[in-house]
Amino acid sequence: MAISEYLGSRKNIAGSVCGLAGLALTFTGLAGAYWPVVVAGLYGAGALVAPPERPALPDFPDPSARLDEVREDFGRLGRCLADVELPPGAAGSLDELTGLLAALLEPGWVAEALARDPEGVHVLSRMVRQDVPEAVDTFVRARWWHRLAPGQEPPERHLERQTGLLRREAEKLAADLGETESRRQETHTRYLEDRGGDR
């Protein structure tokens, strides 16, 4: 520990307070001729009994900050998807999914409920940053190869299935958040009922 750090440490502060008590004893005449030993001894005792310094905790971003980052990434994803030409069925399925994701990410009480659910933030982040981009990218690549070698299952069917699966996952996330809010409401009702019953 550097000298400048030690000067502001708990050990130095506690030792200094005890050393001042030693000086007070000296001025009242209780320390006698051995006052330097008394002052130094009390300083040392105070420094020994002081609680140790706690290391600073890492400054992790709170979930709402993570949600803001996901919201920004979702905006970038939307601009990217606008440039992709999709067949009507796949486009409709993707629009349903992105509409649901937009509703979950919209600032307000829904986003606040989501921010209290780190697993939900992770699921949404994975969809926005990995699952949807990968589904669209693989569709674009497979469509090019399908044009060269037709006869295989059309790539838009895979995209529709993928977006359908992702939509169900997002719907489950929304349902779980709604259930959490319902339980919160029920808990508040029970609290009010119990509080009223105590009177």
Side-chain angles (χ1 to χ4, degrees), residues 100-146:
L100 182 55
L101 295 178
L104 287 169
L105 285 168
E106 186 175 335
W109 64 270
V110 175
E112 289 170 11
L114 181 61
R116 290 191 293 268
D117 179 14
E119 182 60 30
V121 173
H122 171 71
V123 167
L124 203 56
S125 171
R126 187 186 62 219
M127 283 188 196
V128 168
R129 294 173 173 162
Q130 178 181 337
D131 296 333
V132 174
E134 179 73 13
V136 173
D137 185 56
T138 54
F139 162 76
V140 170
R141 292 169 186 262
R143 180 178 57 181
W144 187 84
W145 288 107
H146 183 73

Side-chain angles (χ1 to χ4, degrees), residues 137-186:
D137 185 56
T138 54
F139 162 76
V140 170
R141 292 169 186 262
R143 180 178 57 181
W144 187 84
W145 288 107
H146 183 73
R147 288 175 181 162
L148 293 180
Q152 303 171 14
E153 187 175 11
E156 55 266 22
R157 288 195 191 149
H158 283 286
L159 180 59
E160 289 174 28
R161 285 206 304 261
Q162 290 167 3
T163 53
L165 292 167
L166 290 170
R167 189 181 68 248
R168 282 196 287 278
E169 190 175 4
E171 287 169 350
K172 181 182 181 313
L173 174 60
D176 290 346
L177 290 172
E179 186 178 331
T180 300
E181 291 300 308
S182 295
R183 281 197 307 268
R184 191 172 156 216
Q185 184 184 34
E186 290 167 8

Side-chain angles (χ1 to χ4, degrees), residues 50-137:
E53 295 292 323
R54 288 186 336 200
L57 295 176
D59 187 21
F60 294 120
D62 63 0
S64 61
R66 288 183 55 212
L67 207 52
D68 289 340
E69 294 172 7
V70 176
R71 196 176 289 120
E72 289 175 14
D73 290 344
F74 181 68
R76 282 197 291 273
L77 175 64
R79 290 188 291 275
C80 177
L81 294 178
D83 295 335
V84 178
E85 183 184 333
L86 298 172
S93 181
L94 186 61
D95 286 345
E96 289 177 12
L97 171 62
T98 56
L100 182 55
L101 295 178
L104 287 169
L105 285 168
E106 186 175 335
W109 64 270
V110 175
E112 289 170 11
L114 181 61
R116 290 191 293 268
D117 179 14
E119 182 60 30
V121 173
H122 171 71
V123 167
L124 203 56
S125 171
R126 187 186 62 219
M127 283 188 196
V128 168
R129 294 173 173 162
Q130 178 181 337
D131 296 333
V132 174
E134 179 73 13
V136 173
D137 185 56

